[in-house]
Amino acid sequence: MAKIELIQGDITKLEVDAIVNAANKTLLGGGGVDGAIHRVAGPELLAECKTLNGCETGEAKITKGYKLPVKYVVHTVGPVWHGGNNNEPGLLAGCYKNCLKLAIDNDIRSIAFPNISTGVYRFPKEIAAQIAIESANEFLKQINKFDKVYFVCFDEENFSLYQKKLSNS
Ligand code: ADP
């Protein structure tokens, strides 16, 4: 089975086949990890994103990586947390699964995820970490063509949550 690995740091520094962007529905850039990815990738990324006509929550779209040290960026739109009764968990699971599916379709063998929805979109970090790990594990049980799947935690709180959950999974 593909190894899941935990990293603490800045996702834009990783040399993998693809990194995942926690974007918004416009795909035209934003704050947080989205802003960081666009800053490093350069204006050509925004130009390609403009051709994609946005992205629905829970879905994913792919672009090249431009000045990032990756071949591809997989853009996904996490759900905004509105209390948990609006299918937020299902939509977040969809993000992870649809990114992995798109990665397989593009022969991506190593992919790195940020902690989707846990910033501006306010998804509770503990529930989000559980969903991220479970969705990835479920997907990898079915399709196992990856060398590595990374979870990249920028903040200490997410990092220690993932550390605990991955050591138990
Ligand atoms: P969302 O709108 O999906 O909540 P954010 O970008 O606000 O997206 O936050 C998602 C996660 O990305 C947060 O946990 C935040 O700490 C993290 N993050 C912010 N910048 C970076 C970065 N450069 N590399 C990796 N993760 C990052």
Side-chain angles (χ1 to χ4, degrees), residues 11-13 19 36-37 40-41 45 65-71 73:
I11 203 166
T12 65
K13 305 261 192 262
I19 58 171
I37 286 172
V40 178
L45 177 60
Y66 299 101
K67 294 199 174 69
L68 287 156
V70 295
K71 280 188 228 144
V73 179

Side-chain angles (χ1 to χ4, degrees), residues 1-5 14-20 62 69-74 99-113 139-140 143-151:
M1 181 129 145
K3 308 270 180 314
I4 288 182
E5 210 170 292
L14 294 191
E15 295 181 21
V16 287
D17 288 344
I19 58 171
V20 173
I62 192 163
V70 295
K71 280 188 228 144
Y72 298 104
V73 179
V74 178
C99 286
L100 290 170
K101 184 171 184 310
L102 196 52
I104 291 291
D105 294 344
N106 288 276
D107 295 322
I108 288 163
R109 302 194 63 97
S110 55
I111 185 165
F113 286 93
F139 187 95
L140 295 174
I143 302 178
N144 183 14
K145 289 188 183 161
F146 293 99
D147 297 326
K148 275 266 160 62
V149 175
Y150 298 93
F151 289 118

Side-chain angles (χ1 to χ4, degrees), residues 9-11 22 31-34 36 114-121 154-155 158:
D10 181 350
I11 203 166
V33 70
D34 195 7
N115 308 136
I116 300 163
S117 283
T118 67
V120 183
Y121 284 2
F154 199 56
D155 58 272
N158 267 316

Side-chain angles (χ1 to χ4, degrees), residues 118-129:
T118 67
V120 183
Y121 284 2
R122 308 182 313 271
F123 208 109
K125 289 180 181 175
E126 169 130 36
I127 310 174

